[in-house]
Amino acid sequence: MVRGNYASISAVSTATNYILMEEDTSTRTYRTYIKPCESGPLELRLWHSNAVDSTWDVGAVAKGSMPGGSWRIEAAYVADGGTDRNGQVVPGTSVQVMFDGQPDKEVAPSETFWSDPVQIELPEGHDLAFTWTITTSSSGASVPYNTEGLLVSAYEAEGNQAKDGPHDKFIPAANRLVMPAFIGYAKPQAKPVKQRIVFLGDSITQGVRTAKDGYTYWVARIADGLGPDYSVWNLGSGWARAYDASADGPWLAKAAEGDIVAVALGVNDIDIGARSSEELLGDLTAIVKRLKQKKRDAGSAVQVILFTVPPFNFTGDREKVWRTRQ
């Protein structure tokens, strides 16, 4: 991933922990409203990774580093989402996103790709609305997405409704956030970001159980406090565990883009992952070592902030693991 002068547009987590499973092919439009960290005239660019980042539950459907299937982007648009978050966009503001000069794109399993730059102007206080129509090419697993607690307003519509689809065609998404892995906006060459900060964690980092569209979770508060001089990329993912990241797959590759990486993992490793203290400490050590090695290979360095496992309602053997010191 080559970021250039593009900074993350929002503190919304774009990590994936689930995958679309269907008995037949489908064409469906997904629209998401996000609060941008800056407004005015913006140059945007999208980057995507067609893979699952972290394991959901016990991994019966989706596991960390699982490749996505083959699917097709029929059309993608950015628009002024206004302030109502009701499924529609401000008329006349939709701008099509292109991919190597084409309005559509075939996406292969595990593929990573950039869009072309796109220009849009957002009034202060207005949301950015991102909309894309996706066609799955076969039954079974196809599009990775996040299914743990929708923290932003998201809508779906059957068929290709990407460009100003009628308001009544869109319905609220049923716990399914289908977003690009990264939406960046160009920073002026004279004022680049001071530091790129990545938050690699579980549902607490993602912000689960905070108010929808409230941006009250701790990553969003940090991003708001730092301001647009810093780029904050949230990779928090519900049910995530350290051994997903230590496997050195797509999730850790994203995290390695940070100048600072805050790692907040461990609760799910002890709980549903049933890891021992030795295994968990080994995974956390591997994450730190691999992040540092990736940055050295790229000719730079990284500062890793490692959070300890926070207080939790562990009992019995799990409590013993949590209390273990080495």
Coordinates of all heavy atoms in Angstrom, one line a residue, residues 12-18 30-34 132 143-156 173-180 206:
V12 N -13.9 6.0 11.7 CA -14.7 4.8 11.6 C -13.9 3.6 11.3 O -13.0 3.6 10.4 CB -15.8 4.9 10.5 CG1 -16.6 3.6 10.3 CG2 -16.8 6.1 10.9
S13 N -14.1 2.5 12.0 CA -13.3 1.3 11.7 C -13.7 0.6 10.4 O -14.9 0.5 10.1 CB -13.5 0.2 12.8 OG -12.8 -1.0 12.4
T14 N -12.8 0.3 9.5 CA -13.1 -0.4 8.3 C -12.5 -1.8 8.2 O -12.4 -2.4 7.2 CB -12.5 0.5 7.1 OG1 -11.1 0.7 7.4 CG2 -13.2 1.8 7.0
A15 N -12.1 -2.3 9.4 CA -11.7 -3.7 9.4 C -12.8 -4.7 9.1 O -14.0 -4.3 9.3 CB -11.1 -4.0 10.8
T16 N -12.5 -5.9 8.7 CA -13.5 -6.9 8.4 C -13.4 -8.1 9.2 O -12.3 -8.6 9.6 CB -13.4 -7.3 6.9 OG1 -12.1 -7.8 6.6 CG2 -13.6 -6.1 6.0
N17 N -14.6 -8.6 9.6 CA -14.6 -9.8 10.5 C -15.6 -10.9 10.0 O -15.9 -11.8 10.7 CB -14.8 -9.5 11.9 CG -16.2 -8.7 12.1 OD1 -17.0 -8.7 11.3 ND2 -16.3 -8.1 13.3
Y18 N -16.2 -10.6 8.8 CA -17.2 -11.6 8.4 C -17.2 -11.6 6.8 O -16.4 -10.8 6.2 CB -18.6 -11.1 8.8 CG -19.6 -12.3 9.1 CD1 -19.4 -13.2 10.1 CD2 -20.7 -12.5 8.3 CE1 -20.2 -14.2 10.4 CE2 -21.6 -13.6 8.5 CZ -21.3 -14.4 9.5 OH -22.2 -15.5 9.8
Y30 N -24.6 -0.6 -1.6 CA -24.4 -0.3 -0.2 C -24.0 1.2 0.0 O -23.2 1.7 -0.8 CB -23.2 -1.2 0.4 CG -23.4 -2.6 0.2 CD1 -23.0 -3.3 -1.0 CD2 -24.1 -3.4 1.2 CE1 -23.2 -4.7 -1.1 CE2 -24.3 -4.8 1.0 CZ -23.8 -5.4 -0.1 OH -24.0 -6.7 -0.3
R31 N -24.7 1.9 0.9 CA -24.4 3.3 1.1 C -24.1 3.5 2.6 O -24.8 3.1 3.5 CB -25.6 4.1 0.7 CG -25.5 5.6 1.0 CD -26.6 6.4 0.3 NE -26.3 6.4 -1.2 CZ -27.2 6.7 -2.1 NH1 -28.5 7.0 -1.7 NH2 -26.9 6.7 -3.4
T32 N -23.0 4.2 2.8 CA -22.6 4.5 4.2 C -22.3 6.0 4.4 O -21.7 6.6 3.5 CB -21.3 3.7 4.6 OG1 -21.5 2.3 4.2 CG2 -20.9 3.9 6.0
Y33 N -22.7 6.5 5.6 CA -22.5 7.9 5.9 C -21.4 8.0 7.0 O -21.5 7.3 8.0 CB -23.8 8.5 6.5 CG -24.9 8.6 5.5 CD1 -25.8 7.5 5.3 CD2 -25.2 9.7 4.7 CE1 -26.8 7.5 4.4 CE2 -26.2 9.8 3.8 CZ -27.0 8.7 3.7 OH -28.1 8.7 2.7
I34 N -20.4 8.8 6.7 CA -19.3 9.0 7.7 C -19.0 10.4 7.9 O -19.1 11.2 7.0 CB -18.0 8.2 7.3 CG1 -17.5 8.7 5.9 CG2 -18.3 6.7 7.3 CD1 -16.2 8.1 5.6
W132 N -21.5 2.1 -3.3 CA -21.1 1.2 -4.4 C -22.0 0.1 -4.6 O -22.7 -0.4 -3.7 CB -19.6 0.7 -4.2 CG -19.3 0.0 -2.9 CD1 -20.0 -0.3 -1.8 CD2 -18.0 -0.6 -2.6 NE1 -19.3 -1.0 -0.9 CE2 -18.1 -1.2 -1.3 CE3 -16.8 -0.7 -3.3 CZ2 -17.0 -1.9 -0.8 CZ3 -15.7 -1.3 -2.7 CH2 -15.8 -1.9 -1.5
V143 N -17.9 -11.2 -0.5 CA -17.4 -9.9 -0.1 C -17.2 -9.8 1.5 O -18.1 -10.0 2.2 CB -18.4 -8.8 -0.4 CG1 -17.9 -7.4 -0.1 CG2 -18.8 -8.9 -1.9
P144 N -15.9 -9.6 1.9 CA -15.7 -9.4 3.3 C -16.3 -8.1 3.8 O -16.4 -7.1 3.1 CB -14.2 -9.3 3.4 CG -13.7 -9.9 2.2 CD -14.7 -9.6 1.2
Y145 N -16.8 -8.1 5.1 CA -17.4 -6.9 5.7 C -17.4 -7.0 7.2 O -16.9 -8.0 7.7 CB -18.8 -6.7 5.2 CG -19.8 -7.8 5.6 CD1 -20.6 -7.6 6.8 CD2 -20.0 -8.9 4.8 CE1 -21.5 -8.6 7.1 CE2 -21.0 -9.9 5.2 CZ -21.7 -9.7 6.4 OH -22.6 -10.7 6.8
N146 N -17.8 -6.0 7.9 CA -17.9 -6.0 9.3 C -19.3 -6.1 9.8 O -20.2 -5.5 9.3 CB -17.3 -4.7 9.9 CG -17.1 -4.8 11.4 OD1 -18.0 -4.7 12.2 ND2 -15.8 -4.9 11.8
T147 N -19.5 -7.0 10.8 CA -20.9 -7.3 11.2 C -21.1 -7.0 12.7 O -22.1 -7.3 13.2 CB -21.2 -8.8 10.9 OG1 -22.6 -9.0 11.2 CG2 -20.4 -9.7 11.8
E148 N -20.1 -6.5 13.4 CA -20.2 -6.3 14.8 C -20.7 -4.8 15.2 O -19.9 -3.9 15.1 CB -18.9 -6.6 15.5 CG -18.8 -6.2 17.0 CD -19.4 -7.2 17.9 OE1 -19.8 -8.3 17.4 OE2 -19.6 -7.0 19.1
G149 N -21.9 -4.6 15.4 CA -22.4 -3.3 15.9 C -22.2 -2.2 14.9 O -21.1 -1.6 14.9
L150 N -23.2 -1.8 14.1 CA -23.0 -0.7 13.2 C -22.9 0.6 14.0 O -23.9 1.0 14.7 CB -24.2 -0.7 12.2 CG -24.3 -1.8 11.2 CD1 -25.4 -1.5 10.2 CD2 -23.0 -2.0 10.5
L151 N -21.8 1.3 13.8 CA -21.6 2.6 14.5 C -21.9 3.8 13.7 O -21.9 4.9 14.1 CB -20.2 2.6 15.0 CG -19.8 1.6 16.0 CD1 -18.3 1.5 16.3 CD2 -20.6 1.8 17.3
V152 N -22.2 3.5 12.4 CA -22.6 4.6 11.5 C -23.9 4.2 10.8 O -24.2 3.1 10.7 CB -21.5 4.9 10.5 CG1 -20.3 5.5 11.2 CG2 -21.1 3.7 9.7
S153 N -24.5 5.2 10.2 CA -25.7 4.9 9.4 C -25.3 4.3 8.1 O -24.5 4.8 7.3 CB -26.5 6.2 9.1 OG -27.1 6.7 10.4
A154 N -25.9 3.1 7.8 CA -25.6 2.4 6.5 C -26.9 1.9 6.0 O -27.8 1.5 6.7 CB -24.6 1.3 6.8
Y155 N -27.0 1.9 4.6 CA -28.2 1.5 3.9 C -27.9 0.5 2.8 O -26.7 0.5 2.3 CB -29.0 2.7 3.4 CG -29.6 3.5 4.4 CD1 -28.9 4.5 5.1 CD2 -31.0 3.4 4.7 CE1 -29.5 5.3 6.1 CE2 -31.6 4.2 5.6 CZ -30.8 5.1 6.3 OH -31.4 5.9 7.3
E156 N -28.9 -0.3 2.4 CA -28.7 -1.2 1.3 C -29.9 -1.1 0.3 O -31.0 -0.7 0.8 CB -28.6 -2.6 1.8 CG -27.4 -2.9 2.7 CD -27.3 -4.3 3.1 OE1 -28.2 -5.2 2.7 OE2 -26.5 -4.7 4.0
A173 N -29.2 -1.0 6.8 CA -28.4 -2.2 6.7 C -28.6 -3.1 8.0 O -28.7 -2.5 9.1 CB -27.0 -1.9 6.5
A174 N -28.8 -4.3 7.8 CA -29.0 -5.2 8.9 C -27.6 -5.7 9.5 O -27.2 -6.8 9.2 CB -29.8 -6.4 8.5
N175 N -27.0 -4.9 10.2 CA -25.7 -5.2 10.9 C -24.6 -5.7 9.9 O -23.9 -6.6 10.1 CB -25.9 -6.3 11.9 CG -25.0 -6.2 13.1 OD1 -24.6 -5.1 13.4 ND2 -24.6 -7.3 13.7
R176 N -24.6 -5.0 8.7 CA -23.6 -5.3 7.7 C -23.0 -4.0 7.1 O -23.7 -3.2 6.4 CB -24.4 -6.1 6.6 CG -23.4 -6.6 5.5 CD -24.1 -7.7 4.7 NE -25.4 -7.4 4.1 CZ -26.3 -8.2 3.6 NH1 -26.0 -9.5 3.7 NH2 -27.4 -7.9 3.1
L177 N -21.8 -3.8 7.5 CA -21.1 -2.6 7.0 C -20.1 -3.0 5.9 O -19.1 -3.6 6.2 CB -20.3 -1.9 8.2 CG -19.6 -0.6 7.8 CD1 -20.7 0.5 7.5 CD2 -18.8 -0.1 9.0
V178 N -20.4 -2.6 4.7 CA -19.6 -3.0 3.5 C -18.9 -1.7 3.0 O -19.5 -0.9 2.4 CB -20.5 -3.6 2.4 CG1 -19.6 -4.1 1.3 CG2 -21.3 -4.8 3.0
M179 N -17.6 -1.6 3.4 CA -16.9 -0.4 3.1 C -15.5 -0.7 2.5 O -15.0 -1.8 2.7 CB -16.7 0.4 4.4 CG -17.9 1.1 4.9 SD -18.0 2.7 4.1 CE -16.7 3.6 4.8
P180 N -14.9 0.3 1.8 CA -13.5 0.1 1.4 C -12.6 0.1 2.6 O -13.0 0.6 3.7 CB -13.2 1.4 0.6 CG -14.5 1.9 0.1 CD -15.5 1.5 1.2
Q206 N -12.9 -0.8 18.1 CA -13.9 -0.5 17.0 C -15.0 0.5 17.5 O -15.4 1.4 16.8 CB -14.6 -1.7 16.6 CG -15.6 -1.5 15.4 CD -16.4 -2.8 15.1 OE1 -16.0 -3.9 15.5 NE2 -17.5 -2.6 14.4

